[in-house]
Amino acid sequence: MRRIRRFFDALGQFGTRCLLVLVAFAVLSAACVGKLTVLQLVNDKGLAVAAEENRTKTVTVQANRGKIEDTNGTVLAQSVERYNVIGDPVLAQSFKPTDCTTNNKGYCHSINGKPVGTTGAAAVARLLSSVIDVDAKTLGAKLSSNLRYVVLKKNVSPEVKRKIDKLNIGGYVTTELSSIREYSNGALLGSLLGGVDGSGKGVSGIELLEDKTLTGTNGSKKYQSGGGGQVIPGTLVDSKDAVNGSDVKLTIDSDVDWYVKKALTDGVSQYHAQWGIAVVQDVQTGAIIALDDSDQIEAGSTEAMQTASRAVAQTFEPGSIGKVFAMAGMLQLGLHKMTDQFSVPSTITVDGQSYKDSHEHATTNWTLAGILQQSSNVGMIMAADQYTSEERYEFLKKFGIGQASGLNLPGESSGSLTSASTWDGRTRNTVLFGQGYSTNAMQITNAIATIANKGVKNQQYIIKSVTDADGRTTTPKRGEATRVIDESVASQMLNAMESVGEYYQAQAGISGYRIAAKTGTAEVAGSNGALTSIIADWVGVLPADNPRFVVTVILKDPEGTYGGMTAGTIFKTIGEFLMQKYQVPASTPRTDAIPVTW
């Protein structure tokens, strides 16, 4: 102890202080060396792993939704490349722009050739605002939080994305691949195509029907990033390619559908109708070539996503078109021949119920073909005296009335056809002329196509094919065709329908072509629930001598009332276009007409 005291006495006060400072530094140095040794020799692997994990990012590689095309490959709906602009507020607040000089062009920051004039989030906001349509104050506010991820703008174009890349603010602001759904034809097929929600999922129309087919499988990339968010070269550790959704091709011909839409719109305007619907179907295959209505709803719009296509959702009583199905059943059961003769008054009373024709007339001698041509309700009741209620029901059902079409379109209504056991004394007779049940435009079209197709009912379809991301094309399986009536019965019905077409030659005739048709008019409930509204419809086969198409037109409350005088004229417009577009050979003269009077 004495030696130590002497040592410190010799050093003096100043020397002692210096020695103590030296000792303190030595102890601190030893502690640092010890800590460094522990970090390097003991915890080095754990820290390296933690640092690597902090740098590692996994990003989603978005798959594109498949296209929807018409039968000729015209794109009706497609996903277009877009980008979401993403900011990192924490990094942005530390941003310091580099003024541009002659030596650092391409790596500096300027706005219209001038310095940014500030730092941090405000500087990032000013730079970004110069290329996207968002003001700097709004961007600055979003970049002033303590978050690491904020969406600054959605769905910018690839051109804007390239401009953002040239701002040299990678890491502070990045872009993520996205897409938007675009529809090429506005209100054409609007509700039928439907739309997708914000996540790209189909929510209505074809977009919903084929959502699984159209939806792809996202991929991913896993890599290490630098402090500015950039990919460190050579650090891609895992990658999974995105698989795009399949393309769906429809049977719809958009050129035909455009013309149908125009004809409907013009017709609704001409006859001051509430709305119109039209269908064009290929007789031999069951393919739907056009399916539209007069509603002006744009595909992809909120309204399209909330409103089912009227062409598939609207149901109504078909009126006298229903006589075709009832009469076909009589012939098939052998209850009558088309040449059978009837003396038909304009009114009749059966089991205490009175019925009348649309016009008063003297008792007239008509064949069964004449009853169809003149659309006589009374004649149908007279001809059906041996036609049981169960048989009437079964043939309506066989023709597809009140049954699902098999198209499975979202919002489709099957209509209503109750069993014969529920019919009262009046309904069992009104079903003979299209009242007492409801149907839709597609059911009527396919029922008439069955007659035009020699008595064979095809499964209607609207999806033509599907092509996957690898280019493999498949055809969806369709239901089997079924025979409803004999070929000879179908031929007689088509013959009688051709007499109807001739009767309306002035309104619906197509020069050079024979047509087989039936018109209908039915009272339906109006807005007040009473029978104050009218459905006027027309369905036609053309050419009658070599059936190619069935065209159905329905109008609600047209001025002119009767289907032949209103919907028939729209059929004429559509039919003339079809014959020209598909270059259908002109008809041969008719020589086998069944007599309509006796």
Side-chain angles (χ1 to χ4, degrees), residues 505-518:
Q505 180 69 27
Q507 293 79 24
I510 299 173
S511 180
Y513 296 92
R514 292 159 50 185
I515 63 172
K518 187 66 189 80

Side-chain angles (χ1 to χ4, degrees), residues 352-389:
Q353 295 288 325
S354 295
Y355 308 88
K356 62 180 181 178
D357 284 344
S358 59
H359 298 89
E360 288 190 15
H361 59 83
T363 298
T364 307
N365 294 333
W366 287 322
T367 62
L368 191 61
I371 288 173
L372 189 71
Q373 184 198 52
Q374 297 299 317
S375 201
S376 172
N377 298 338
V378 174
M380 288 297 296
I381 293 172
M382 293 174 65
D385 60 336
Q386 300 299 313
Y387 196 23
T388 69
S389 295

Side-chain angles (χ1 to χ4, degrees), residues 28 30 70 99 123 129 138 167 177 192 203 216 223 225 274 305 315 385 452 481 491 555:
L28 181 62
D70 83 340
D99 291 340
S129 180
T138 300
L167 293 176
L177 181 63
L192 184 66
V203 295
Y223 58 86
S225 61
Q274 286 192 29
M305 289 186 272
T315 60
D385 60 336
S491 177
L555 295 177

Side-chain angles (χ1 to χ4, degrees), residues 114-164:
K114 297 180 181 179
V116 179
T118 187
T119 61
V124 175
R126 286 187 184 181
L127 285 164
L128 190 58
S129 180
S130 67
V131 296
I132 68 174
D133 188 23
V134 180
D135 64 85
K137 289 183 179 180
T138 300
L139 293 172
K142 289 185 175 183
L143 291 169
S144 296
S145 69
N146 59 356
L147 301 176
R148 299 302 305 268
Y149 183 101
V150 293
V151 178
L152 302 176
K153 188 170 184 180
K154 289 184 176 181
N155 298 325
V156 303
S157 67
E159 180 184 5
V160 172
K161 188 260 186 191
R162 289 191 291 270
K163 290 181 180 179
I164 293 173

Side-chain angles (χ1 to χ4, degrees), residues 287 339 345 436 453 457:
T339 54
N453 194 39
K457 180 172 174 282

